[in-house]
Amino acid sequence: MFSKVLIANRGEIAVRIIRACQELGISTVAVYSEADRESLHVQLADESVCIGPPASRESYLSVPRVISAAEITQADAIHPGYGFLSEKSGFAEVCEASGIVFIGPPAEAIRVMGDKSEAKRTMIAAGVPVVPGSDGVLESLEEAEATAERVGYPVILKARDGGGGKGMRVVTRAEDLEKQFQIAQAEAEAAFGSGAMYMERYLVKPRHVEVQLAADKHGNVIHLMERDCSVQRRHQKLVEEAPAPGLDESIRQRMGEVACAGARGIGYHSVGTMEFLYEDGDFFFMEMNTRLQVEHPVTEMITGVDLVKLQIRIAAGEELGLSQDDIVARGHSIECRVNAESPYHNFRPSPGTIQALHIPGGPGIRFDSHVYSGYTISPHYDSMIGKLISYGGSRDEAISRMLRALAETRIEGVDTTIAYHREVLAHPDFQAGKVDTKFIERMQSGNGSAKGAGKGEQPQA
Ligand code: ADP
């Protein structure tokens, strides 16, 4: 096992990883930018190194600075968390070349899955069903037109290098394709440095269902059930749950098996997630996230497996120590992403100082966060305050506990998404398990109990 791990991240996930290391008896090194001096991850770690100014490019995304910090502190491994360097295959390679273990998958698996069109090709070869679409990157408008004719409208244009729900455009009619293709390319160029686009059939009312995977360096691969992340705003997840409500047992099993086959196909090790779209009994591979996910706690709650400790043990060369039959889901878990945003003003960020804070507790409630009373949420990074997670013996109990906990939470000084989460959780369709990726749109258009947050607003895509 490692004796010292450097955490190349900030915020709640840095804190989550430090906690796992502490439980494993591993010393920790925090890195931080000048904007994060007062951050909890810096206070909780055994050592800390300032790696630069607030801009991520010059701190959390700077490979030389992160590697130097690991060398100075003699860390034997680096945990990248999610975001930042976690899915940069070049970073994993530099770690390896520097004799530092990257706590994540092989660099080649990151590279293949990071190129969304190559990822789809690889998955087809492994026998995984994918959304019908272009064969790789679209080389021209003519090819886009021909592909759209073949798969049928509506279609979605996606940036090869996109992520985080960005760089996607839905085209419903042939006459809009040329314009949308140009806009999408320009947007992708500006946001990701490449205008490379591919195309898929746009499913109208799918559910986002993803399978949690764990694989060791000895060829053992298992899945830890699925999560439903259909409650999304502008393709970004707001509420996640495990297991997926009402999912047919045979589908669940097949999805798990297919996901494991996909992971084997690329020689994967570490934890990872295979994302699928599910519609009318069919499911299609969308992408694989080769890292720990934000929503990993709901899986931990129903399986009893600590995914971060498992990930560290795998990186250290240990065997999984779990077989597929050991994974038994019990009860239900829900996560709400509590952000410093104004949900009734188009979710605009609301950075500032938290003046007062009361975090709920009681049975079945967990709060993963890096904030404290007096903490200032910086405008430089994402606006997450923390993740509120509930667990119950049944979905109904997980919902009632979440509603109880949301009502009790007090965060003063910044606007938060809590009131919006209460609307979601109280919505009759959510309570009935009728979730799909259009749920939020329906809720906002005033269908049901919603008060009409951002009423009339259309999703970007
Ligand atoms: P990102 O990597 O940016 O998060 P994804 O490919 O995971 O992008 O897609 C994010 C969300 O966009 C999905 O969860 C789903 O709601 C929607 N989406 C993506 N592809 C399709 C599609 N082919 N049809 C319908 N919705 C889609």
Side-chain angles (χ1 to χ4, degrees), residues 115-125 130-140 142-148 150-151 156-158 160 196-201:
D115 176 331
K116 290 188 170 195
S117 55
E118 189 173 345
K120 285 184 74 176
R121 268 205 302 276
T122 312
M123 287 301 110
I124 292 170
V130 306
V131 191
S134 60
D135 180 22
V137 168
L138 297 165
E139 301 296 343
S140 63
E142 290 68 38
E143 191 185 342
E145 282 166 348
T147 308
R150 179 166 55 78
V151 303
I156 184 167
L157 289 163
K158 293 187 175 185
R160 180 193 62 194
M197 304 299 298
Y198 66 104
M199 182 187 281
E200 282 175 1
R201 183 199 298 155

Side-chain angles (χ1 to χ4, degrees), residues 1 48 51 134 241 319 406 424 437:
M1 183 43 76
S48 59
I51 52 167
S134 60
E241 59 184 307
E319 291 205 32
L406 286 166
V424 172
T437 60

Side-chain angles (χ1 to χ4, degrees), residues 4-6 29-30 47-49 67-76:
K4 196 188 274 187
V5 167
L6 180 141
V29 182
E47 292 170 70
S48 59
V49 182
I67 296 286
S68 307
E71 284 176 339
I72 292 164
T73 55
Q74 296 185 305
D76 23 38

